Amino acid sequence: MSRLTPAGVGEIIRCDEKDSRVVLKLSNSLSDILSVIPGLNDKITTDIVNINKVIQEFSHFIYIMATTYMGCQTVGEEYCNMLCVDRSRKKIPSKWRILAMSFLRTIPGYLIQWIISDMEKRLETNNLSSYLIPHRKSLPKLIPLARKLVILLSGIHLVMFYLRGRFKNLSNRITRVNYILINNDLLNTQLEAAYRLLGYIGLITSIIYFGEFLYEWKINERTTDSVSLAISSSRYQCAICLGPLAAPSVVACCNQVFCWGCLMQQLQTNSSRCPMCRVHCHPKHVVRLVNFN
């Protein structure tokens, strides 16, 4: 095979949208089949969000296995006159490369979201495993940061796609699976500038998001390091009601300890300002102290 023109950003997006519609129809059909099986209907109803996510990821894996793995074009590739090739753009990807691409496209993302959600549920029910118990206090702050980190990495990858093209999915970037156009006349170069502008806008957004991520990480570290100091300086009394602490909570701005109810009421009535130092304090920067005696 001669070296052909790589597919543009617009062609890859249209191909992915066409394939997503086919996968959605396949997952809906699979859900209908599973719903009539005795015993599974109640399970799907009670946990419909997670079940549908698993079915959709499984449907996409089956779709790639039935098309690309078997040496055929997907519906989106045929619609956009594209062909899946390896990094040399001269050969069809090997079976192992396609299998790795399909696995990375479906499994890791779902596992990461499942692990984060499972840790949140364990924290709510106080059902932590032995290796997580020593990190009980830091987990409530690390889990939201982990979610933001996943979103940040996904955004950076999408920015790279809009600016440089080639890899819309992270699985394609890792396995170096490219797309080429069978008919070079179908390449739409007029939209490349618009997609590049969209990439620059996404880059600015990612930088702002990264700055917010670092700020919250710094706030959490500062709060964690100064909790013991805040407890000792408060003398186990609320600085608002001057009574015993009820659901003690600490603010990051001045490390002062208050009752949770007193602090939330003050933040609502005083334009989200700390009742002690009068610095702007958002409720999400308030840390609840657990197992405080």
Side-chain angles (χ1 to χ4, degrees), residues 262-273:
C262 297
L263 181 57
M264 290 296 106
Q265 183 178 4
Q266 288 293 322
L267 292 179
Q268 292 175 1
T269 57
N270 294 328
S271 301
S272 297
R273 292 187 178 276

Side-chain angles (χ1 to χ4, degrees), residues 103-133:
F103 177 82
L104 293 173
R105 176 74 182 272
T106 56
I107 306 301
Y110 173 77
L111 284 180
I112 291 174
Q113 295 296 334
W114 179 82
I115 290 173
I116 295 176
S117 300
D118 182 69
M119 292 178 66
E120 286 180 336
K121 292 179 180 178
R122 289 179 178 271
L123 280 173
E124 292 176 358
T125 58
N126 198 20
N127 186 24
L128 295 176
S129 56
S130 57
Y131 62 91
L132 288 178
I133 291 178

Side-chain angles (χ1 to χ4, degrees), residues 215 219 222-223 226 250-256 258 263 267 272-282 285-286:
Y215 173 75
I219 287 293
R222 178 182 175 185
T223 304
S226 58
V250 63
V251 289
C253 52
C254 61
N255 303 323
Q256 184 63 49
F258 305 93
L263 181 57
L267 292 179
S272 297
R273 292 187 178 276
C274 176
M276 183 61 65
C277 63
R278 310 304 298 171
V279 174
H280 181 77
C281 179
H282 196 277
H285 295 151
V286 178

Side-chain angles (χ1 to χ4, degrees), residues 240-254:
I240 299 176
C241 66
L242 301 179
L245 290 170
S249 305
V250 63
V251 289
C253 52
C254 61

Side-chain angles (χ1 to χ4, degrees), residues 20-283:
S20 296
R21 294 178 184 177
V22 178
V23 172
L24 181 60
K25 292 181 180 179
L26 181 61
S27 62
N28 290 337
S29 300
L30 187 58
S31 298
D32 294 338
I33 294 174
L34 294 177
S35 61
V36 299
I37 299 178
L40 289 180
N41 190 19
D42 296 337
K43 178 64 176 178
I44 294 176
T45 304
T46 55
D47 199 9
I48 187 171
V49 176
N50 292 329
I51 295 296
N52 286 339
K53 183 65 176 177
V54 173
I55 292 176
Q56 188 171 359
E57 298 295 345
F58 180 72
S59 300
H60 187 275
F61 183 81
I62 294 223
Y63 178 66
I64 296 298
M65 289 294 100
T67 53
T68 307
Y69 187 81
M70 299 302 295
C72 304
Q73 289 177 286
T74 65
V75 175
E77 293 171 0
E78 186 176 359
Y79 177 77
C80 298
N81 285 285
M82 292 167 47
L83 194 62
C84 183
V85 293
D86 61 6
R87 62 186 305 175
S88 67
R89 299 183 195 151
K90 295 181 179 180
K91 300 179 181 179
I92 301 296
S94 63
K95 298 288 187 180
W96 288 107
R97 190 179 296 270
I98 296 175
L99 186 63
M101 181 191 68
S102 303
F103 177 82
L104 293 173
R105 176 74 182 272
T106 56
I107 306 301
Y110 173 77
L111 284 180
I112 291 174
Q113 295 296 334
W114 179 82
I115 290 173
I116 295 176
S117 300
D118 182 69
M119 292 178 66
E120 286 180 336
K121 292 179 180 178
R122 289 179 178 271
L123 280 173
E124 292 176 358
T125 58
N126 198 20
N127 186 24
L128 295 176
S129 56
S130 57
Y131 62 91
L132 288 178
I133 291 178
H135 309 285
R136 183 198 305 268
K137 295 182 179 180
S138 60
L139 282 177
K141 295 172 290 185
L142 292 178
I143 290 177
L145 290 177
R147 287 189 180 276
K148 287 196 171 186
L149 182 60
V150 172
I151 297 174
L152 178 63
L153 294 178
S154 301
I156 293 175
H157 168 73
L158 192 59
V159 166
M160 294 176 61
F161 168 69
Y162 283 131
L163 293 178
R164 303 185 60 183
R166 299 175 64 184
F167 307 112
K168 184 178 185 297
N169 300 305
L170 189 59
S171 58
N172 291 70
R173 185 178 299 277
I174 295 174
T175 56
R176 315 301 292 179
V177 174
N178 298 287
Y179 292 99
I180 59 173
L181 288 176
I182 300 176
N183 186 355
N184 296 340
D185 296 333
L186 298 176
L187 181 63
N188 190 349
T189 58
Q190 297 178 355
L191 293 177
E192 295 300 318
Y195 284 119
R196 197 171 293 111
L197 176 61
L198 185 61
Y200 286 123
I201 295 175
L203 179 61
I204 296 174
T205 305
S206 298
I207 293 174
I208 296 174
Y209 195 87
F210 181 68
E212 181 184 356
F213 174 81
L214 290 180
Y215 173 75
E216 292 194 4
W217 180 271
K218 185 177 180 180
I219 287 293
N220 286 333
E221 282 190 342
R222 178 182 175 185
T223 304
T224 302
D225 295 337
S226 58
V227 162
S228 57
L229 177 62
I231 294 175
S232 61
S233 62
S234 66
R235 296 185 180 180
Y236 305 102
Q237 289 183 344
C238 175
I240 299 176
C241 66
L242 301 179
L245 290 170
S249 305
V250 63
V251 289
C253 52
C254 61
N255 303 323
Q256 184 63 49
V257 178
F258 305 93
C259 298
W260 174 267
C262 297
L263 181 57
M264 290 296 106
Q265 183 178 4
Q266 288 293 322
L267 292 179
Q268 292 175 1
T269 57
N270 294 328
S271 301
S272 297
R273 292 187 178 276
C274 176
M276 183 61 65
C277 63
R278 310 304 298 171
V279 174
H280 181 77
C281 179
H282 196 277

